């Protein structure tokens, strides 16, 4: 288990974790270029995955617990309130874990712009935070996780009869899940055809969002992937990218050599 904790912003280190050794080495090299020294291994519960949204971050711990911090206006942290979690590094250990339900743990996490989803040990998934476009998958536009008792009462997403998820991915305002039969379902904002289900006039609300009206999820079709599509979706849902800050451009001399230098163009902010 690799226990390095690194992330870079202009002049300030923030915690972000990877369990992939090659990705960690890229991050350590980048950190050293910016700060002149390599960070030291941290103590505490090991992390196995990290996910970041527009203004919040979540970590999946080795225990299957999830902790989130950052901006929380829509309940995207999953703590039953809308207060921001903004603590100094020594106080990060005091951040509570997200209530996933009695006896439940997570095996994967993904953050959208203002929502968060977890793949549970049962193969079911739960999502919380902003639901303006139905991206949580609960046949409504009600935000989840922003009020006391929300997380304890949070149901699982209806993926279909006898269907469970094996991989999840949250976009800015939509969510996708790869199912146990190799098929794929996506819901939320349908702009630009990002859900992959073609015309959505029968399922979408007046804003062009799918998953926001009663009964939508039960009728949600799978994405037509073709003969070899499932394997490609697995790659797309779980890309292996080094932890290099998105402010690095290909011509940025601080970026570590031999590492990918992604830069994501984000959509305009939406509620």
């Amino acid at each position: 288990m690799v226990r390095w904790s690194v992330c870079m912003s202009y002049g300030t280190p923030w915690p972000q974790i990877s369990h992939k050794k090659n990705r960690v080495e890229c991050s350590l090299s980048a950190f050293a270029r910016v700060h002149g020294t390599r960070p030291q291994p941290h103590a505490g519960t090991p992390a196995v995955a990290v996910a970041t949204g527009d203004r919040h971050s979540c970590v999946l711990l080795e225990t299957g617990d999830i902790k989130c911090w950052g901006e929380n206006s829509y309940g995207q942290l999953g703590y039953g309130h809308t207060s921001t979690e903004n603590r100094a590094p020594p106080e990060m250990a005091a951040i509570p874990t997200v209530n996933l339900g009695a006896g439940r743990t997570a095996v994967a996490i993904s953050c959208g712009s203002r929502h968060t989803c977890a793949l549970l040990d049962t193969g079911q998934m739960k999502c919380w935070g902003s639901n303006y476009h139905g991206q949580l998958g609960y046949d409504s536009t009600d935000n989840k996780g922003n009020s006391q008792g929300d997380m304890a009462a949070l149901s699982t997403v209806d993926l279909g009869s006898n269907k469970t998820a094996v991989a999840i991915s949250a976009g800015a305002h939509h969510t996708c899940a790869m199912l146990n039969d190799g098929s794929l379902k996506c819901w939320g904002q349908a702009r630009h055809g990002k859900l992959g289900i073609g015309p959505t006039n029968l399922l979408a609300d007046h804003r062009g969002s799918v998953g926001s009206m009663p009964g939508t999820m039960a009728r949600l079709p799978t994405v037509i992937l073709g003969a070899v599509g499932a394997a490609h979706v697995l790659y797309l849902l779980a890309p292996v990218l080094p932890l290099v800050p998105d402010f690095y451009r290909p011509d940025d001399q601080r970026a570590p050599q031999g590492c990918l230098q992604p830069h994501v163009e984000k959509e305009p902010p939406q509620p």
Side-chain angles (χ1 to χ4, degrees):
M1 176 63 65
V2 177
R3 301 188 183 185
W4 291 97
S5 174
V6 299
C7 180
M8 291 71 67
S9 184
Y10 280 114
T12 306
W14 295 90
Q16 193 174 66
I17 300 92
S18 173
H19 66 289
K20 298 292 186 181
K21 186 175 181 180
N22 62 324
R23 295 163 65 188
V24 170
E25 183 57 37
C26 285
S27 294
L28 296 178
S29 298
F31 190 98
R33 284 171 177 264
V34 175
H35 300 284
T37 183
R38 291 165 68 94
Q40 297 301 309
H42 70 81
T45 305
V48 296
V50 66
T52 57
D54 189 15
R55 298 175 181 174
H56 75 292
S57 301
C58 294
V59 64
L60 173 61
L61 303 177
E62 191 176 55
T63 57
D65 293 319
I66 292 174
K67 289 189 175 187
C68 298
W69 58 92
E71 202 272 335
N72 194 32
S73 297
Y74 300 89
Q76 58 263 50
L77 302 188
Y79 294 134
H81 59 71
T82 56
S83 299
T84 294
E85 284 286 355
N86 182 18
R87 307 191 188 203
E91 300 172 343
M92 292 294 288
I95 292 179
T97 57
V98 175
N99 184 353
L100 299 173
R104 294 280 64 83
T105 57
V107 298
I109 54 173
S110 187
C111 293
S113 178
R114 297 174 180 87
H115 74 290
T116 306
C117 292
L119 175 58
L120 305 181
D121 55 338
T122 58
Q124 298 172 308
M125 64 181 295
K126 289 186 174 184
C127 298
W128 56 91
S130 174
N131 198 29
Y132 184 79
H133 293 285
Q135 60 262 49
L136 302 188
Y138 292 122
D139 290 334
S140 75
T141 55
D142 297 333
N143 297 339
K144 304 292 184 182
N146 60 332
S147 300
Q148 187 174 4
D150 267 10
M151 295 304 292
L154 190 64
S155 61
T156 56
V157 176
D158 183 359
L159 298 173
S161 179
N162 298 317
K163 294 293 188 295
T164 56
V166 297
I168 61 174
S169 183
H173 309 292
H174 72 296
T175 306
C176 293
M178 193 174 81
L179 307 183
N180 55 330
D181 61 358
S183 63
L184 177 72
K185 285 188 175 184
C186 298
W187 57 92
Q189 187 191 67
R191 190 172 61 182
H192 307 309
K194 68 183 73 174
L195 302 186
I197 56 177
T200 58
N201 57 304
L202 297 180
L203 295 174
D205 61 18
H206 65 284
R207 293 164 299 191
S209 299
V210 174
S212 60
M213 299 188 299
T216 301
M217 293 300 292
R219 296 183 292 133
L220 187 66
T222 56
V223 179
I224 304 301
L225 299 171
V228 296
H232 290 286
V233 170
L234 179 59
Y235 172 77
L236 292 174
L237 286 176
V240 178
L241 292 175
L243 293 177
V244 179
D246 64 5
F247 61 74
Y248 283 140
R249 301 289 186 138
D251 59 349
D252 194 327
Q253 297 302 311
R254 292 172 299 171
Q257 299 300 313
C259 295
L260 297 179
Q261 302 165 10
H263 178 77
V264 179
E265 297 294 339
K266 296 182 178 180
E267 295 186 71
Q270 298 191 24

Coordinates of all heavy atoms in Angstrom, one line a residue, residues 110 115 117-120 123-127 135-137 157-160 163-171 174-188 194-195 197 217 220-223 225 230 233-234 236-237:
S110 N -17.0 8.9 -7.0 CA -16.8 9.8 -8.1 C -17.6 11.1 -7.8 O -18.6 11.0 -7.2 CB -17.4 9.1 -9.4 OG -17.1 9.9 -10.5
H115 N -22.0 17.2 -7.1 CA -22.7 16.0 -6.5 C -21.6 14.9 -6.4 O -20.5 15.0 -7.0 CB -23.9 15.6 -7.4 CG -23.5 14.9 -8.7 ND1 -23.0 15.6 -9.8 CD2 -23.7 13.6 -9.1 CE1 -22.9 14.8 -10.8 NE2 -23.2 13.6 -10.4
C117 N -21.1 10.5 -5.9 CA -21.7 9.2 -5.9 C -20.8 8.1 -5.4 O -19.5 8.3 -5.5 CB -22.0 8.8 -7.4 SG -23.4 9.8 -8.1
A118 N -21.3 7.1 -4.8 CA -20.5 6.0 -4.2 C -21.1 4.7 -4.7 O -22.3 4.5 -4.7 CB -20.6 6.1 -2.7
L119 N -20.1 3.8 -5.1 CA -20.5 2.4 -5.4 C -20.3 1.6 -4.2 O -19.2 1.6 -3.6 CB -19.6 1.9 -6.5 CG -19.7 0.5 -6.9 CD1 -21.1 0.1 -7.4 CD2 -18.7 0.1 -8.0
L120 N -21.4 1.0 -3.7 CA -21.3 0.3 -2.4 C -20.8 -1.2 -2.6 O -20.8 -1.7 -3.7 CB -22.7 0.3 -1.8 CG -23.4 1.7 -1.6 CD1 -24.7 1.5 -0.9 CD2 -22.5 2.6 -0.8
G123 N -22.9 -3.5 -4.7 CA -23.0 -3.3 -6.1 C -24.1 -2.2 -6.4 O -24.3 -1.9 -7.6
Q124 N -24.7 -1.7 -5.3 CA -25.7 -0.6 -5.5 C -24.9 0.7 -5.4 O -23.8 0.7 -5.0 CB -26.8 -0.7 -4.4 CG -27.6 -2.0 -4.5 CD -28.5 -2.1 -3.3 OE1 -28.1 -2.0 -2.1 NE2 -29.8 -2.4 -3.5
M125 N -25.6 1.8 -5.8 CA -25.0 3.1 -5.7 C -25.9 4.1 -5.1 O -27.1 4.0 -5.2 CB -24.5 3.5 -7.1 CG -25.6 3.8 -8.1 SD -24.9 4.3 -9.7 CE -24.1 5.9 -9.4
K126 N -25.2 5.0 -4.4 CA -25.9 6.2 -3.8 C -25.3 7.5 -4.3 O -24.1 7.5 -4.5 CB -25.9 6.1 -2.3 CG -26.7 5.0 -1.7 CD -26.8 5.1 -0.1 CE -27.7 4.1 0.5 NZ -27.8 4.2 2.0
C127 N -26.1 8.5 -4.5 CA -25.6 9.8 -4.9 C -26.2 10.9 -4.0 O -27.4 10.8 -3.6 CB -25.9 10.0 -6.4 SG -25.2 8.9 -7.5
Q135 N -29.3 14.4 -11.8 CA -28.1 13.7 -11.9 C -27.9 12.7 -10.8 O -27.0 11.8 -10.8 CB -26.8 14.6 -12.0 CG -26.7 15.5 -10.8 CD -27.2 16.9 -11.0 OE1 -28.4 17.1 -11.5 NE2 -26.4 17.9 -10.8
L136 N -28.7 12.8 -9.7 CA -28.5 11.8 -8.6 C -29.2 10.5 -8.9 O -29.0 9.5 -8.3 CB -29.1 12.4 -7.3 CG -28.5 13.7 -6.8 CD1 -29.0 14.1 -5.4 CD2 -26.9 13.6 -6.8
G137 N -30.2 10.5 -9.8 CA -30.9 9.3 -10.2 C -32.0 8.9 -9.4 O -32.3 7.7 -9.2
V157 N -29.9 4.1 -6.0 CA -30.3 4.4 -7.4 C -30.9 3.2 -8.0 O -30.4 2.1 -7.9 CB -29.1 5.0 -8.2 CG1 -29.6 5.2 -9.6 CG2 -28.6 6.2 -7.6
D158 N -32.1 3.4 -8.7 CA -32.7 2.3 -9.4 C -32.0 2.1 -10.7 O -32.1 2.8 -11.7 CB -34.2 2.7 -9.7 CG -35.0 1.6 -10.4 OD1 -34.4 0.5 -10.7 OD2 -36.2 1.8 -10.7
L159 N -31.2 1.0 -10.8 CA -30.4 0.7 -12.0 C -31.2 -0.3 -12.9 O -30.7 -0.7 -14.0 CB -29.1 0.1 -11.6 CG -28.2 1.1 -10.8 CD1 -26.9 0.3 -10.3 CD2 -27.8 2.3 -11.6
G160 N -32.3 -0.8 -12.4 CA -33.1 -1.8 -13.2 C -33.1 -3.1 -12.4 O -32.4 -3.4 -11.5
K163 N -30.1 -5.6 -11.5 CA -28.9 -4.9 -12.1 C -28.1 -4.2 -10.9 O -28.7 -3.6 -10.0 CB -29.3 -3.8 -13.1 CG -29.9 -4.3 -14.3 CD -28.9 -5.1 -15.1 CE -29.5 -5.5 -16.5 NZ -30.6 -6.4 -16.4
T164 N -26.8 -4.4 -11.0 CA -25.9 -3.7 -10.0 C -24.8 -3.0 -10.9 O -24.7 -3.3 -12.1 CB -25.3 -4.7 -9.1 OG1 -24.6 -5.8 -9.8 CG2 -26.3 -5.4 -8.2
A165 N -24.1 -2.2 -10.2 CA -23.0 -1.4 -10.9 C -21.7 -2.0 -10.6 O -21.4 -2.6 -9.5 CB -23.0 0.0 -10.5
V166 N -20.8 -2.0 -11.6 CA -19.4 -2.4 -11.4 C -18.4 -1.3 -11.6 O -17.3 -1.4 -11.2 CB -19.0 -3.6 -12.4 CG1 -19.9 -4.8 -12.2 CG2 -19.2 -3.1 -13.9
A167 N -18.9 -0.1 -12.1 CA -18.1 1.1 -12.2 C -19.0 2.3 -12.3 O -20.1 2.1 -12.9 CB -17.2 1.0 -13.4
I168 N -18.6 3.4 -11.8 CA -19.4 4.6 -11.8 C -18.6 5.8 -12.2 O -17.3 5.8 -12.0 CB -20.1 4.9 -10.5 CG1 -19.1 5.1 -9.4 CG2 -21.1 3.8 -10.1 CD1 -19.6 5.5 -8.0
S169 N -19.2 6.8 -12.8 CA -18.5 8.0 -13.2 C -19.4 9.2 -13.2 O -20.5 9.1 -13.8 CB -17.8 7.9 -14.6 OG -17.1 9.0 -14.9
A170 N -19.1 10.2 -12.4 CA -19.9 11.4 -12.4 C -19.3 12.5 -13.2 O -18.2 12.8 -13.1 CB -20.1 11.9 -10.9
G171 N -20.1 13.0 -14.2 CA -19.7 14.2 -14.9 C -20.1 15.5 -14.2 O -20.6 15.4 -13.1
H174 N -24.1 15.1 -14.9 CA -24.7 13.9 -15.2 C -23.9 12.7 -14.6 O -22.8 13.0 -14.1 CB -24.8 13.7 -16.8 CG -23.5 13.4 -17.5 ND1 -22.5 14.4 -17.5 CD2 -23.1 12.4 -18.2 CE1 -21.5 13.9 -18.2 NE2 -21.8 12.7 -18.6
T175 N -24.4 11.5 -14.6 CA -23.8 10.4 -14.0 C -24.0 9.2 -14.9 O -25.0 9.0 -15.5 CB -24.5 10.1 -12.6 OG1 -24.4 11.3 -11.8 CG2 -23.7 9.0 -11.9
C176 N -23.0 8.3 -14.9 CA -23.1 7.0 -15.6 C -22.7 5.9 -14.7 O -21.9 6.0 -13.8 CB -22.1 7.1 -16.9 SG -22.6 8.2 -18.1
A177 N -23.2 4.7 -15.0 CA -22.9 3.5 -14.3 C -22.8 2.3 -15.3 O -23.6 2.2 -16.2 CB -23.9 3.2 -13.3
M178 N -21.7 1.6 -15.2 CA -21.5 0.4 -16.0 C -22.1 -0.8 -15.1 O -21.7 -0.9 -14.0 CB -20.1 0.1 -16.4 CG -20.0 -1.0 -17.4 SD -18.3 -1.2 -18.0 CE -17.7 -2.3 -16.7
L179 N -23.0 -1.6 -15.7 CA -23.7 -2.6 -15.0 C -23.1 -3.9 -15.1 O -22.2 -4.2 -15.8 CB -25.2 -2.6 -15.5 CG -25.9 -1.2 -15.5 CD1 -27.3 -1.4 -15.9 CD2 -25.8 -0.6 -14.1
N180 N -23.6 -4.8 -14.2 CA -23.0 -6.2 -14.1 C -23.2 -7.0 -15.4 O -22.6 -8.0 -15.5 CB -23.7 -6.9 -12.9 CG -25.2 -7.0 -13.0 OD1 -25.8 -6.1 -13.5 ND2 -25.8 -8.0 -12.4
D181 N -24.0 -6.6 -16.3 CA -24.2 -7.3 -17.6 C -23.3 -6.6 -18.7 O -23.5 -7.0 -19.9 CB -25.6 -7.4 -18.0 CG -26.3 -6.1 -18.2 OD1 -25.6 -5.0 -18.0 OD2 -27.5 -6.0 -18.6
G182 N -22.5 -5.7 -18.3 CA -21.7 -5.0 -19.3 C -22.3 -3.8 -20.0 O -21.7 -3.1 -20.8
S183 N -23.6 -3.6 -19.7 CA -24.3 -2.4 -20.3 C -24.0 -1.1 -19.5 O -23.4 -1.2 -18.4 CB -25.8 -2.7 -20.3 OG -26.3 -2.8 -19.0
L184 N -24.4 0.0 -20.1 CA -24.2 1.3 -19.5 C -25.4 2.1 -19.5 O -26.2 2.1 -20.4 CB -23.1 2.0 -20.4 CG -22.8 3.4 -20.0 CD1 -21.9 3.4 -18.7 CD2 -22.0 4.1 -21.1
K185 N -25.6 2.8 -18.3 CA -26.8 3.7 -18.2 C -26.2 5.1 -17.7 O -25.3 5.2 -16.9 CB -27.8 3.2 -17.2 CG -28.7 2.1 -17.7 CD -29.8 1.8 -16.7 CE -30.7 0.7 -17.3 NZ -31.9 0.5 -16.4
C186 N -26.8 6.1 -18.3 CA -26.4 7.5 -17.9 C -27.7 8.4 -17.7 O -28.7 8.2 -18.4 CB -25.6 8.1 -19.0 SG -24.0 7.3 -19.4
W187 N -27.6 9.3 -16.8 CA -28.8 10.2 -16.5 C -28.3 11.5 -16.1 O -27.1 11.7 -15.8 CB -29.7 9.5 -15.5 CG -28.9 9.2 -14.2 CD1 -28.8 10.0 -13.1 CD2 -28.2 8.0 -13.9 NE1 -28.1 9.3 -12.1 CE2 -27.7 8.1 -12.6 CE3 -28.0 6.8 -14.6 CZ2 -27.0 7.1 -12.0 CZ3 -27.2 5.8 -14.0 CH2 -26.8 5.9 -12.7
G188 N -29.2 12.5 -16.1 CA -28.8 13.9 -15.7 C -29.0 14.8 -16.9 O -29.8 14.6 -17.8
K194 N -24.7 13.8 -24.3 CA -23.7 13.2 -23.4 C -24.2 11.9 -22.7 O -23.4 11.1 -22.2 CB -23.2 14.2 -22.4 CG -24.3 14.6 -21.4 CD -23.8 15.7 -20.4 CE -23.6 17.0 -21.1 NZ -23.2 18.1 -20.1
L195 N -25.6 11.7 -22.7 CA -26.1 10.5 -22.0 C -26.0 9.3 -23.0 O -26.2 8.2 -22.5 CB -27.5 10.8 -21.6 CG -27.8 11.9 -20.6 CD1 -29.2 11.9 -20.1 CD2 -26.8 11.9 -19.4
I197 N -28.1 8.3 -25.3 CA -29.4 7.5 -25.5 C -30.2 8.2 -26.6 O -31.4 7.9 -26.7 CB -30.2 7.4 -24.2 CG1 -30.5 8.8 -23.6 CG2 -29.5 6.5 -23.2 CD1 -31.4 8.7 -22.3
M217 N -36.2 6.6 -14.1 CA -35.1 5.7 -14.0 C -35.5 4.3 -14.4 O -34.7 3.5 -14.9 CB -34.5 5.8 -12.6 CG -33.8 7.1 -12.2 SD -32.4 7.5 -13.3 CE -31.3 6.2 -12.8
L220 N -35.3 4.0 -18.1 CA -34.1 4.5 -18.7 C -33.4 3.4 -19.6 O -33.1 2.3 -19.1 CB -33.1 5.0 -17.6 CG -31.8 5.7 -18.1 CD1 -32.1 7.0 -18.7 CD2 -30.9 5.9 -16.9
P221 N -33.2 3.7 -20.8 CA -32.5 2.7 -21.7 C -31.0 2.6 -21.5 O -30.4 3.5 -20.9 CB -32.9 3.2 -23.1 CG -32.9 4.7 -22.9 CD -33.5 4.9 -21.6
T222 N -30.4 1.5 -21.9 CA -29.0 1.4 -21.8 C -28.4 2.1 -23.1 O -29.0 2.2 -24.1 CB -28.5 0.0 -21.7 OG1 -29.1 -0.8 -22.8 CG2 -29.0 -0.6 -20.4
V223 N -27.1 2.5 -23.0 CA -26.4 3.0 -24.1 C -26.0 1.9 -25.1 O -25.6 0.9 -24.7 CB -25.1 3.8 -23.7 CG1 -24.4 4.3 -24.9 CG2 -25.5 4.9 -22.7
L225 N -23.7 0.2 -27.3 CA -22.2 0.3 -27.3 C -21.6 -0.4 -28.5 O -20.5 -0.1 -28.9 CB -21.6 -0.2 -26.0 CG -22.0 0.5 -24.8 CD1 -21.6 -0.3 -23.6 CD2 -21.5 1.9 -24.7
A230 N -18.3 -2.5 -24.3 CA -18.3 -2.6 -22.9 C -16.8 -2.4 -22.4 O -16.6 -1.7 -21.4 CB -18.8 -4.0 -22.4
V233 N -15.9 1.2 -22.5 CA -16.5 2.0 -21.5 C -15.8 1.8 -20.1 O -15.6 2.7 -19.4 CB -18.0 1.6 -21.3 CG1 -18.6 2.2 -20.0 CG2 -18.8 2.1 -22.5
L234 N -15.3 0.6 -19.9 CA -14.6 0.3 -18.7 C -13.4 1.2 -18.6 O -13.0 1.8 -17.6 CB -14.2 -1.2 -18.6 CG -13.3 -1.6 -17.4 CD1 -14.1 -1.3 -16.1 CD2 -12.9 -3.0 -17.4
L236 N -13.0 4.1 -20.2 CA -13.4 5.5 -20.0 C -13.9 5.8 -18.6 O -13.7 6.9 -18.1 CB -14.6 5.8 -21.0 CG -14.2 5.8 -22.5 CD1 -15.4 6.0 -23.4 CD2 -13.2 6.9 -22.8
L237 N -14.5 4.8 -18.0 CA -15.0 5.1 -16.6 C -13.9 5.0 -15.6 O -14.0 5.6 -14.5 CB -16.0 4.0 -16.2 CG -17.4 4.2 -16.9 CD1 -18.3 3.0 -16.4 CD2 -18.1 5.5 -16.5

